[in-house]
């Protein structure tokens, strides 16, 4: 969770407003948008499997790679998702995720105001941060990485500015221990910690301002970094977790085919540049004494965002924290003030632990409340955040479930990748063709799926005896079914279509 100052003063009204309004907007107004990512469903299923039967070492969802080695390298986040799902289904996942995002933005707003930024400009920066990160607002373990990164960067910024001592970083190894078990972006956190440590050591070496004063402090920061790195193998899978991270990062096809791994230019996520422009303008107007690690490290994350858009949320959080340091002292602030655009504000204070505990208590109460509503739902469907029928083939569920009941347990189904986890979640009797776990399927198989060449698909159909297919409208897989001529449409919807063909004799 995000860092909270030790000040026990009452929370500012601005932070409370940002928290409540953001939470309400995401949970009530845009709940279905948080359920757009196919990973939400298979992450939840994985957590359920761990809670019910231990850590998996093989795939159990697909007929193409069933029994092949696979590890739940995000197991901690998945177990948290499964626990929330047991309380209140998808509604609980949406409410908790929206609450966490709202608390993050309230903390950023309060940090900006406490640093001397006017309330209006603080709202502007938080709004730009939200815009730059909104494409990653999904219910999945990746959000835990964003919260952990915010805590880390905020704590490092406080030490960098002299508001805290190096001793304030002592919880970092514990944070990383949880982080490496929740999501692979912990690697980015370790790199950020290393960048700050190198900047401080370099500043100390040339006699510039630095939190490191003397050999003992240098040894302490080095020991801290070693302790944080040492958490990487402390997972149920040992170093296999890090090997999985490496396999994902080393994939040559993944950035071309999965949008969140593509570059900023290819995805067209230009909204990130609005926050980047404000940050770069503040950096250009900074004095030499303000050019510290806190204000410069966001440049690294901005470059990484251009390479892969999934890094943009980390740039956004780092830039917002850096702007709290840069904006009040930027050289162009006075010129704007003379024209009626006041950037600087009066002195403020960060919300204390009471605010954070109150916000967390409110989130917990909301989760329990939606759980009670969900328990009374006759069909077990979400109450607040139903799956979008234009994104998910929810209108095909009656036909899909009927087909699953008629088929033997473990029967295969041909599906488009975005529908894989949906099928596994809604009809666990079926075994899917593919989902978005790239580390399981690998480049060759995924490229074969994307190309959807008839000869390649014919081989899988013949080997598996598959007689059901759930495909997206207009996809290559649907074109294959239509051209084949032996598949008939069972039902259609705005999101996709269900097909059936006569049973095939299974090849030896």
């Amino acid at each position: 969770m995000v860092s909270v100052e030790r000040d026990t003063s009452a929370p500012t009204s601005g932070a409370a407003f940002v928290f409540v309004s953001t939470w309400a907007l995401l949970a009530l107004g845009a709940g279905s948008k948080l359920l757009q990512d196919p990973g939400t469903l298979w992450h939840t299923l994985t957590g359920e499997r761990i809670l019910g039967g231990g850590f998996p070492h093989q795939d159990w969802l697909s007929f193409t790679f069933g029994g092949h080695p696979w590890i739940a390298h995000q197991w901690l986040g998945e177990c948290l998702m499964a626990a929330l799902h047991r309380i209140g289904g998808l509604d609980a996942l949406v409410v908790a995720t929206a609450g966490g995002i709202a608390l993050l933005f309230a903390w950023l707003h309060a940090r900006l105001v406490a640093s001397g930024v006017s309330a209006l400009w603080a709202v502007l920066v938080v709004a730009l941060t939200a815009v730059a990160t909104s494409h990653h607002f999904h219910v999945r373990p990746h959000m835990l990485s964003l919260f952990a990164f915010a805590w880390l960067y905020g704590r490092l910024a406080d030490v960098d500015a002299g508001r805290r001592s190096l001793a304030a970083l002592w919880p970092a190894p514990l944070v990383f221990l949880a982080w490496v078990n929740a999501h692979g972006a912990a690697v980015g956190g370790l790199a950020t910690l290393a960048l700050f440590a190198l900047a401080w050591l370099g500043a100390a070496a040339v006699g510039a301002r630095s939190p490191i004063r003397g050999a003992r402090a240098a040894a302490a920061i080095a020991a801290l970094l070693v302790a944080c790195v040492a958490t990487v193998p402390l997972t149920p899978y040992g170093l296999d977790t890090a090997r999985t991270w490496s396999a994902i990062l080393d994939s040559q096809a993944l950035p071309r085919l999965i949008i969140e791994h593509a570059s900023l230019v290819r995805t067209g996520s230009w909204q990130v540049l609005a926050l980047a422009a404000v940050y770069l303008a503040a950096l250009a107007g900074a004095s030499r004494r303000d050019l510290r690690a806190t204000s410069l490290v966001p440049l690294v994350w901005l470059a990484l965002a251009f390479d892969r858009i999934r890094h943009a949320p980390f740039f956004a959080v780092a830039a917002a924290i850096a702007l709290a340091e840069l904006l009040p002292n930027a050289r162009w602030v006075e010129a704007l003030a003379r024209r009626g655009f006041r950037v600087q504000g009066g002195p403020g204070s960060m919300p204390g632990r009471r605010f954070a505990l109150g916000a967390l208590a409110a989130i917990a109460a909301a989760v329990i409340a939606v759980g009670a509503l969900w328990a009374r739902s006759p069909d077990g469907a979400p109450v607040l955040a139903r799956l979008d029928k234009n994104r998910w083939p929810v209108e095909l569920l009656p036909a899909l479930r009927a087909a699953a009941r008629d088929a033997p347990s473990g029967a295969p189904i041909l599906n488009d990748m975005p529908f894989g986890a949906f099928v596994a979640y809604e009809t666990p009797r079926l075994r899917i063709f593919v989902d978005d776990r790239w580390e399981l399927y690998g480049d060759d198989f995924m490229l074969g799926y994307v190309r959807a060449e008839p000869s390649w698909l014919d081989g899988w159909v013949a080997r598996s005896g598959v007689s059901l297919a759930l495909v997206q409208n207009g996809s290559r897989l649907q074109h294959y079914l239509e051209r084949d001529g032996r598949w008939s449409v069972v039902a259609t919807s705005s999101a996709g279509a269900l097909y059936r063909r006569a049973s095939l004799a299974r090849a030896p």
Side-chain angles (χ1 to χ4, degrees):
M1 187 48 65
V2 294
S3 171
V4 178
E5 298 289 337
R6 289 174 290 182
D7 181 8
T8 58
S9 60
T12 64
S13 58
F17 173 78
V18 170
F19 173 69
V20 173
S21 59
T22 303
W23 190 16
L25 176 64
L26 291 175
L28 301 178
S32 63
K33 299 298 182 183
L34 299 179
L35 298 174
Q36 293 286 307
D37 191 88
T40 297
L41 300 177
W42 70 255
H43 281 306
T44 303
L45 291 174
T46 301
E48 289 284 1
R49 187 173 182 87
I50 294 171
L51 294 179
F55 295 99
H57 289 80
Q58 298 175 337
D59 174 52
W60 79 100
L61 293 177
S62 75
F63 71 85
T64 47
F65 280 75
H68 283 231
W70 181 81
I71 63 171
H73 59 98
Q74 302 176 56
W75 72 270
L76 187 59
E78 290 161 343
C79 286
L80 177 59
M81 291 175 64
L84 288 168
H85 187 267
R86 289 184 175 186
I87 294 172
L90 295 177
D91 283 331
L93 288 167
V94 166
V95 167
T97 302
I101 295 170
L103 182 54
L104 169 62
F105 288 156
W107 174 76
L108 288 174
H109 179 275
R111 188 179 188 93
L112 286 154
V113 173
S115 299
V117 179
S118 71
L120 182 60
W121 271 79
V123 169
L124 173 63
V125 171
V126 169
L128 292 177
T129 304
V131 169
T133 56
S134 59
H135 58 285
H136 276 272
F137 287 173
H138 299 295
V139 179
R140 57 181 187 176
H142 186 273
M143 294 307 304
L144 295 177
S145 276
L146 193 59
F147 302 150
F149 181 81
W151 177 90
L152 176 68
Y153 209 94
R155 191 59 62 98
L156 289 169
D158 288 341
V159 174
D160 196 28
R163 291 186 294 269
R164 291 176 180 265
S165 68
L166 281 174
L169 295 173
W170 73 263
L174 298 177
V175 172
F176 274 104
L177 180 60
W179 198 351
V180 298
N181 284 279
H183 194 261
V187 174
L190 291 171
T192 298
L193 177 59
L195 287 173
F196 270 82
L198 289 173
W200 293 342
L201 289 169
V206 299
R209 180 182 176 185
S210 171
I212 297 177
R213 301 181 183 89
R216 179 176 294 182
I221 194 64
L224 176 73
L225 185 57
V226 169
C228 291
V229 173
T231 64
V232 170
L234 301 182
T235 76
Y237 301 102
L239 285 173
D240 284 344
T241 296
R243 295 188 186 100
T244 301
W245 299 343
S246 178
I248 294 172
L249 292 174
D250 289 344
S251 170
Q252 298 299 309
L254 184 61
R256 304 203 315 265
L257 301 175
I258 299 296
I259 198 69
E260 71 170 287
H261 288 269
S263 67
L264 185 150
V265 175
R266 181 172 172 269
T267 58
S269 300
W270 303 112
Q271 69 271 20
V272 175
L273 299 185
L275 178 63
V278 176
Y279 160 69
L280 292 173
L283 190 64
S287 62
R288 174 177 287 186
R289 66 181 180 85
D290 288 326
L291 295 179
R292 304 191 304 270
T294 300
S295 57
L296 294 175
V297 170
L299 290 172
V300 177
W301 281 105
L302 180 58
L304 291 172
F306 271 91
D307 180 56
R308 294 198 184 199
I309 195 59
R310 69 181 289 126
H311 296 135
F314 301 105
F315 158 71
V317 169
I321 294 173
L323 283 169
E325 311 289 333
L326 293 171
L327 276 178
N329 304 314
R331 284 191 288 264
W332 42 264
V333 163
E334 291 185 5
L336 280 181
R338 288 193 296 269
R339 290 168 173 78
F341 298 97
R342 187 168 59 87
V343 178
Q344 293 176 327
S349 60
M350 288 286 288
R353 287 190 175 90
R354 289 183 183 178
F355 178 75
L357 293 175
L360 293 173
I363 295 171
V367 167
I368 294 172
V370 298
L373 292 174
W374 178 70
R376 295 189 181 96
S377 177
D379 57 355
V383 178
L384 296 176
R386 294 182 179 272
L387 294 173
D388 184 355
K389 67 178 183 179
N390 294 317
R391 172 69 176 84
W392 303 102
V394 291
E395 297 169 322
L396 300 179
L397 278 177
L400 180 63
R401 288 168 177 164
R405 285 193 300 268
D406 295 339
S409 179
I413 180 171
L414 202 64
N415 64 275
D416 270 311
M417 181 180 67
F419 290 168
F422 176 85
V423 173
Y425 179 81
E426 298 289 356
T427 55
R429 287 174 55 86
L430 301 178
R431 292 294 170 264
I432 61 175
F433 179 63
V434 65
D435 55 66
D436 66 332
R437 292 174 295 161
W438 200 281
E439 73 277 14
L440 169 65
Y441 299 100
D443 284 6
D444 291 340
F445 179 87
M446 296 302 279
L447 287 172
Y449 157 75
V450 170
R451 292 168 183 146
E453 295 176 352
S455 59
W456 186 81
L457 289 169
D458 285 343
W460 280 108
V461 170
R463 286 193 297 272
S464 63
V466 63
S467 59
L468 286 173
L470 183 65
V471 297
Q472 290 182 304
N473 291 327
S475 68
R476 291 188 178 184
L477 192 52
Q478 186 178 50
H479 292 324
Y480 162 78
L481 300 178
E482 294 289 344
R483 288 195 303 267
D484 184 86
R486 291 169 291 180
W487 295 81
S488 59
V489 177
V490 176
T492 61
S493 73
S494 55
L498 180 66
Y499 289 76
R500 184 191 292 274
R501 66 166 294 175
S503 298
L504 299 175
R506 188 184 300 272

